[in-house]
Amino acid sequence: MIGTAPARAVDLDSQVSLQIPAQPLANALLALSKQASIQLVTSAETLPAAPTEALSGTMSIRTALDRLLKNTDLRYKWAGVRTVTVVRRISAMPVRTSATDDDPPGAGESASGTGIGRAFRRASLSTAPSTEIVASAASASPTASQESLEEVVVTGTRQTGLKAVDSPAPIQIISADALKAASGNGDLMSTLSQLVPSMTMQAIGFDMAGQTLQAKLRGLSPNHVLVLVDGKRRHTTANIAIDLGSPYQGGAGVDLNFIPLDAIDHIEVLTEGAAAQYGTDAIAGVINIILKKNSSGGSVTGTYGNYMNGGGNTGDVSGNAGFGLSNSGYFNLTGEVHNHGHSNQGAIDERVINPANLTTYPGSNLPDAPGYPYMNQIFGDAESHLKIAALNSGFNFDEGTEVYFFGTYGDKQAASYENYRLPTAVQYTDPISGATSYPFPYGFNPQEASKETDYSLTGGVKGVVAQWNWDVAMTYGGDKVKIFTLDSANAGTFALNGIPTPLDYYDGFLKTTQWTTTADFNRDFDVGLAGPLNVAFGAEYRRETYTIGAGVPLSYLDGGAQSYPGFTPTDAGIHDRKNYAGYVDFASKPIDGLRIDAAGRFEHYSDFGDATVGKLTGRYDFNPQFAVRGTISNGFRAPTLAEEFYSSTTVTPTTAFVQLPPNSPGGKLLGLGDGLQPEKSVNYSIGFAWRPIPQMSATLDLYQITITNRIVGSGQLVGYHNGDVVSSAVNAAIVANGNQLDPTIVESGLTGVNVFANGIDTRTRGADLVFDFPADFRFGTIVWSVGATYNDTSVTKIPVTPALLAGQPLYDQEAISDLSTATPKYIMNLGALLTTGKLSINLQEKIYGPSSDYENDDGDNGGTGPGTFQVCPTGPCTASLAYYKNEIGLTPITNLDVGYQFTDHLKLAVGALNLFDRFPPRLNATLAAHGNSFAYGDNFAVSQYPQFSPLGINGGFYYVKAVFTF
């Protein structure tokens, strides 16, 4: 019977088969919840450490609880469908004192209306160690306002029942309520970046990079973050960020926005290397998204908002509902529709106001064109329409085995403006009459569009055999992006014959898949130490594929469609690899106060060989108020298949650059070897945990991460500049890769290649601080919070540039600054959450420290006459490219959310992200002058704010939100 609650006595009096060894009560209750298919809410502070008696055989749940709680001051209480609370007998609490008070809600006090219901968080404990979570109150205070939640974590450890406050590893837990309060625009990535100081998000991307934004931890690459869903590896996006001059260049991480916010119970963010536990990618940290397992109830949320200037109209509607599967399972379903409109923050394109372009036809039409002079709309958000769904289901059998299944599916359509094309961009001159025709007399605004499908399915079985917890699962996920150029033309083909070309082009597709099979086992052993020895081991098989499909011929021939040439047959290909891995993990408590965790992992990749890594973590509690923790680990990161094989051509009105696969024939012509190799890392950290009183907690973690042989996008390697050969090797590499460039750009612009390559070594040093303190006042409760991160990355080694590059550095000033200075030195979140009656006010001051980046002038220098600039008069310069420094100083941003609970089921809120509409400083004045000079005909200064801006480019976002719960 779906959605029907069983009779209250059935849960407690039903007979179950149990095998629970003598062990600490917390672990025994976890085992009971799993084997009896019940939900359990308890306070870790109340549970004694002494072992319970062993339970074996068939008995009622009531009998099992009576025996486990015997000789304690604990009592249990029925609180809802399959849910039992275990609490101390405290007379101040408004609960009954009967040892087996099993009245249903309504017969006595409501489970959600008492101090217990408010202070304790309900969570399913009938899951395996990879997904289980329990919440506990920090103290026995009878009022919810004095409680702080402490959750058992599953990230960074294989142990069960370990609280975040006791974890040897730095873990930040983000609850569903916190996600809701911080989510002004409805998407997971930007919401998480508001809450986790060490996480920064890409503000803007060009071409396809603007349609799948990236995020990163601790100033490293998006590819250094591993994302798990309920402990299972999530597939990455197919849409790699090819964004020259961006600190997110090469990012092909998980697209978090394909996971609905309403499907999430909480998120655990581990901010340290964990490759020995989870494998490749986990160098900067791990994000583990725990899905809801509610078997009843739900919510519907609606949000609408936009930017101060009216752009970026955003609407989001989502719903979540839980259903019971008989009395032994759950089925949780979430759906979301998210729409976001274009924004435009660009400056005037100098080409449309240049008198030389306005004197004769067809340029003389420009002042009459709609939107003049703000014709170029490239600098802003892409428009997107997203539909996503998630489900999470599990069913428990009598013998304690659980079958589970969860997955997501998403469909996205997006479009982003490219650079405006002048009326003269497409033209044909009749060889007989000499007359020239212009099919676009007012110019045109091409768009790059995509249709994306993203999916992931996980199925598994878990249980307990001979006291061993086991979990066997398989996950298959993928992402496919079909790419189109709209409202454009093939200028090269039209110039040959004057036959009109299509307006819309199919450019090809990108596709990635990942099939992962895992088997995990762990068990506690009593070896005479202060705590049990947890032994864990497991194996993983993973197969990954990456495919590039070619576009229609007119999308790439003769220079291709204006703004985005399609993938050529030589770009296209199907690539795959296999990975086999095994790990062991030992965790123990040798003496009171000391926790030790040691892990080792071996991996074999079919494309580059073997890797062996390890991790040693420890924590010592000097007393209940103060502890020291630390980690030493080494890690690795395999190059993504996208980094190895992605190939395409990126253009502007005056530039054309080929993204060259490093192991391609063209790459070998440049002396880049036979392809990418894995990165290696070493991580050191030491931290301090301080809890002077039960309600207050603070942690400070210092760390150093060194990465050798790092994979980094090169600078612009120039082949032609205004028709002059800069590097014949670069030009030969383009021909060898099979790419045709627009001949007009070759003659009067800048062409070349970019490539991903190994060789740079970096050292990142930093610190993370987290502080929380709830305080009660007569008018209500305020939860004060501080989250801060400091980060400094230095480049310690730069490889020797191949001689074939004719003196151009493989990594230029721009590429180096993307690594070392483009991320803020520090970020601080200062928060205050006020709750008084039905009113809540969530105020956050987010302070971004200084950041900077070098950017080149696209070769807009040299020549004589008005508006020209000397070739590199001062500062760094190479291959006709001059570099200038953009800087963003300390910038505070205020976020505010004000909500009111009008009824038990309805809450309304208004809020703002960037309340005071702050913008970053504009581009370096000299750099902008190069881009705005009529002498060079370029237009890059339309992008008037630095691309690396951590606070975005759109200013304030203002929203209204309604939440209905049932």
Side-chain angles (χ1 to χ4, degrees):
M1 296 183 295
I2 297 178
T4 302
R8 63 180 176 85
V10 173
D11 282 337
L12 290 175
D13 295 328
S14 60
Q15 300 293 305
V16 292
S17 178
L18 300 176
Q19 291 293 331
I20 302 177
Q23 56 188 307
L25 180 56
N27 293 340
L29 290 175
L30 285 168
L32 174 63
S33 69
K34 182 161 45 184
Q35 296 179 35
S37 302
I38 62 173
Q39 293 179 315
L40 189 146
V41 183
T42 188
S43 167
E45 296 290 332
T46 69
L47 302 182
T52 64
E53 66 171 288
L55 302 182
S56 179
T58 301
M59 65 190 74
S60 69
I61 297 174
R62 187 189 303 275
T63 299
L65 285 167
D66 286 339
R67 291 172 61 178
L68 291 177
L69 302 183
K70 184 173 62 177
N71 298 324
T72 72
D73 61 348
L74 303 176
R75 50 177 295 282
Y76 59 89
K77 177 183 180 294
W78 165 254
V81 178
R82 297 189 298 110
T83 303
V84 175
T85 60
V86 176
V87 296
R88 279 199 182 111
R89 294 189 183 94
I90 300 177
S91 58
M93 286 190 175
V95 297
R96 300 213 178 180
T97 57
S98 169
T100 59
D101 179 8
D102 57 353
D103 286 338
E109 62 282 352
S110 167
S112 62
T114 66
I116 295 176
R118 294 191 304 268
F120 294 87
R121 179 179 172 190
R122 175 181 163 187
S124 171
L125 295 185
S126 57
T127 58
S130 61
T131 58
E132 65 193 7
I133 174 174
V134 65
S136 65
S139 71
S141 168
T143 61
S145 62
Q146 293 174 333
E147 306 294 352
S148 63
L149 291 177
E150 295 173 359
E151 294 178 317
V152 168
V153 294
V154 297
T155 309
T157 180
R158 303 285 177 181
Q159 292 179 279
T160 62
L162 181 64
K163 293 186 294 181
V165 72
D166 296 329
S167 172
I171 296 179
Q172 184 174 350
I173 298 178
I174 311 297
S175 69
D177 289 341
L179 290 169
K180 280 281 190 183
S183 175
N185 52 12
D187 71 87
L188 176 57
M189 186 179 296
S190 62
T191 300
L192 202 55
S193 68
Q194 293 293 331
L195 296 170
V196 180
S198 59
M199 181 177 178
T200 53
M201 178 184 168
Q202 186 177 6
I204 184 174
F206 296 104
D207 295 327
M208 289 303 298
Q211 298 180 25
T212 305
L213 299 176
Q214 298 284 319
K216 58 185 182 176
L217 286 173
R218 288 186 161 179
L220 299 179
S221 165
N223 300 332
H224 292 139
V225 181
L226 174 64
V227 176
L228 309 174
V229 176
D230 271 355
K232 304 299 187 279
R233 177 182 286 266
R234 176 84 175 182
H235 67 276
T236 58
T237 180
N239 190 15
I240 183 173
I242 302 300
D243 220 355
L244 309 182
S246 167
Y248 297 86
Q249 166 79 332
V254 171
D255 189 345
L256 294 173
N257 289 338
F258 276 107
I259 302 174
L261 265 175
D262 265 356
I264 299 171
D265 179 85
H266 70 286
I267 298 176
E268 299 176 8
V269 182
L270 172 67
T271 51
E272 73 173 14
Q277 293 165 301
Y278 300 109
T280 184
D281 305 343
I283 289 179
V286 178
I287 298 173
N288 192 5
I289 299 170
I290 309 300
L291 301 177
K292 290 179 179 176
K293 300 174 179 63
N294 298 358
S295 59
S296 63
S299 65
V300 177
T301 302
T303 305
Y304 181 81
N306 55 28
Y307 298 120
M308 173 66 84
N309 68 359
N313 291 330
T314 301
D316 185 277
V317 177
S318 63
N320 170 267
F323 305 92
L325 300 178
S326 183
N327 63 347
S328 301
Y330 60 91
F331 185 89
N332 194 272
L333 184 65
T334 307
E336 181 177 349
V337 176
H338 183 92
N339 297 307
H340 181 72
H342 286 294
S343 69
N344 181 22
Q345 302 296 342
I348 295 175
D349 188 331
E350 63 85 14
R351 297 173 302 155
V352 306
I353 58 174
N354 185 344
N357 293 335
L358 303 177
T359 55
T360 59
Y361 180 85
S364 56
N365 290 334
L366 286 176
D368 298 322
Y372 183 85
Y374 291 94
M375 314 283 285
N376 199 325
Q377 301 181 57
I378 191 173
F379 196 58
D381 293 352
E383 177 183 357
S384 62
H385 304 276
L386 178 65
K387 302 178 183 68
I388 48 179
L391 66 88
N392 189 20
S393 181
F395 189 85
N396 296 277
F397 294 93
D398 289 342
E399 69 276 13
T401 301
E402 180 186 354
V403 176
Y404 60 90
F405 175 84
F406 60 85
T408 63
Y409 180 85
D411 176 85
K412 182 171 76 172
Q413 298 187 32
S416 49
Y417 281 107
E418 301 296 298
N419 275 298
Y420 170 77
R421 261 53 180 184
L422 294 172
T424 54
V426 182
Q427 56 181 283
Y428 170 72
T429 301
D430 188 290
I432 298 176
S433 66
T436 301
S437 59
Y438 303 94
F440 300 95
Y442 293 96
F444 58 99
N445 260 312
Q447 292 190 61
E448 195 60 30
S450 64
K451 295 181 179 179
E452 184 173 5
T453 302
D454 187 279
Y455 53 89
S456 177
L457 297 173
T458 296
V461 184
K462 58 191 175 184
V464 181
V465 173
Q467 301 180 40
W468 283 94
N469 301 302
W470 58 272
D471 185 345
V472 178
M474 184 173 71
T475 300
Y476 184 77
D479 183 62
K480 183 175 182 179
V481 186
K482 295 181 179 179
I483 303 173
F484 306 84
T485 300
L486 308 179
D487 302 326
S488 185
N490 186 316
T493 299
F494 183 76
L496 292 175
N497 51 36
I499 300 175
T501 62
L503 294 177
D504 300 337
Y505 299 82
Y506 173 61
D507 297 325
F509 71 88
L510 302 170
K511 181 180 179 181
T512 183
T513 67
Q514 181 177 276
W515 174 22
T516 306
T517 302
T518 58
D520 300 289
F521 307 88
N522 81 81
R523 176 185 170 180
D524 285 341
F525 290 90
D526 186 357
V527 293
L529 302 176
L533 170 67
N534 182 265
V535 178
F537 65 93
E540 176 180 290
Y541 166 79
R542 186 167 72 253
R543 182 177 185 269
E544 300 170 328
T545 69
Y546 185 73
T547 305
I548 302 177
V552 298
L554 272 180
S555 72
Y556 56 80
L557 292 175
D558 302 318
Q562 288 287 298
S563 80
Y564 194 96
F567 297 117
T568 69
T570 54
D571 291 330
I574 301 175
H575 314 281
D576 72 309
R577 70 171 170 219
K578 298 178 181 179
N579 165 259
Y580 306 86
Y583 72 87
V584 293
D585 195 331
F586 301 94
S588 69
K589 191 175 181 181
I591 60 175
D592 286 337
L594 177 64
R595 294 180 183 272
I596 300 290
D597 193 327
R601 189 180 187 94
F602 173 81
E603 302 224 6
H604 173 75
Y605 280 80
S606 59
D607 54 350
F608 68 76
D610 301 338
T612 303
V613 294
K615 179 177 180 178
L616 179 63
T617 300
R619 171 179 171 135
Y620 185 75
D621 289 80
F622 291 90
N623 51 51
Q625 291 77 40
F626 184 74
V628 176
R629 61 191 182 190
T631 296
I632 300 175
S633 67
N634 68 325
F636 71 101
R637 183 181 78 84
T640 66
L641 291 175
E643 286 174 314
E644 291 190 273
F645 298 107
Y646 181 86
S647 176
S648 71
T649 303
T650 301
V651 301
T652 73
T654 60
T655 67
F657 278 79
V658 173
Q659 185 67 39
L660 200 64
N663 60 349
S664 65
K668 293 179 181 179
L669 286 177
L670 296 180
L672 296 176
D674 297 321
L676 297 177
Q677 298 299 313
E679 303 172 343
K680 296 183 179 179
S681 66
V682 177
N683 185 309
Y684 301 94
S685 69
I686 184 170
F688 309 91
W690 184 49
R691 193 182 183 93
I693 57 177
Q695 293 90 349
M696 180 188 293
S697 65
T699 61
L700 173 65
D701 293 278
L702 313 177
Y703 63 88
Q704 174 178 289
I705 305 169
T706 58
I707 304 177
T708 58
N709 211 29
R710 188 165 172 177
I711 300 168
V712 178
S714 70
Q716 291 179 315
L717 305 176
V718 179
Y720 284 102
H721 180 222
N722 293 331
D724 297 327
V725 175
V726 176
S727 172
S728 57
V730 168
N731 297 329
I734 294 173
V735 173
N737 204 54
N739 300 88
Q740 299 182 20
L741 303 184
D742 187 333
T744 61
I745 296 178
V746 174
E747 293 172 5
S748 59
L750 196 71
T751 68
V753 302
N754 301 91
V755 66
F756 296 111
N758 292 100
I760 280 183
D761 294 352
T762 62
R763 182 187 64 222
T764 300
R765 290 173 173 167
D768 293 325
L769 171 68
V770 178
F771 171 82
D772 293 288
F773 178 55
D776 283 340
F777 300 91
R778 290 191 176 185
F779 55 82
T781 299
I782 298 180
V783 179
W784 307 99
S785 63
V786 176
T789 186
Y790 171 82
N791 181 276
D792 181 76
T793 296
S794 301
V795 176
T796 58
K797 175 190 170 185
I798 300 176
V800 176
T801 298
L804 292 171
L805 292 177
Q808 299 184 69
L810 180 61
Y811 298 108
D812 62 4
Q813 195 84 353
E814 193 166 357
I816 297 301
S817 64
D818 285 342
L819 293 174
S820 57
T821 61
T823 299
K825 285 292 183 188
Y826 54 86
I827 300 174
M828 181 176 293
N829 290 352
L830 305 177
L833 172 59
L834 166 66
T835 304
T836 174
K838 296 182 178 182
L839 177 68
S840 65
I841 301 175
N842 190 15
L843 176 66
Q844 181 195 58
E845 192 71 12
K846 195 174 186 75
I847 301 172
Y848 294 101
S851 55
S852 63
D853 196 1
Y854 278 93
E855 185 176 345
N856 73 60
D857 66 351
D858 276 355
D860 295 341
N861 55 66
T864 58
T868 59
F869 294 87
Q870 285 182 260
V871 179
C872 202
T874 60
C877 184
T878 179
S880 301
L881 300 177
Y883 295 82
Y884 297 90
K885 189 177 184 180
N886 296 308
E887 297 181 277
I888 300 176
L890 185 149
T891 307
I893 298 296
T894 304
N895 299 329
L896 178 66
D897 183 275
V898 180
Y900 191 82
Q901 192 78 39
F902 282 89
T903 72
D904 289 343
H905 302 286
L906 179 64
K907 181 177 182 179
L908 301 180
V910 296
L913 303 174
N914 190 355
L915 177 65
F916 299 111
D917 198 33
R918 298 290 300 271
F919 284 84
R922 286 181 167 80
L923 293 179
N924 179 291
T926 305
L927 175 67
H930 283 230
N932 285 324
S933 173
F934 295 156
Y936 302 113
D938 204 344
N939 69 325
F940 70 79
V942 167
S943 304
Q944 60 178 328
Y945 302 118
Q947 189 178 352
F948 63 91
S949 167
L951 57 142
I953 61 164
N954 288 295
F957 182 86
Y958 307 88
Y959 63 88
V960 294
K961 180 165 53 179
V963 180
F964 181 81
T965 57
F966 56 90

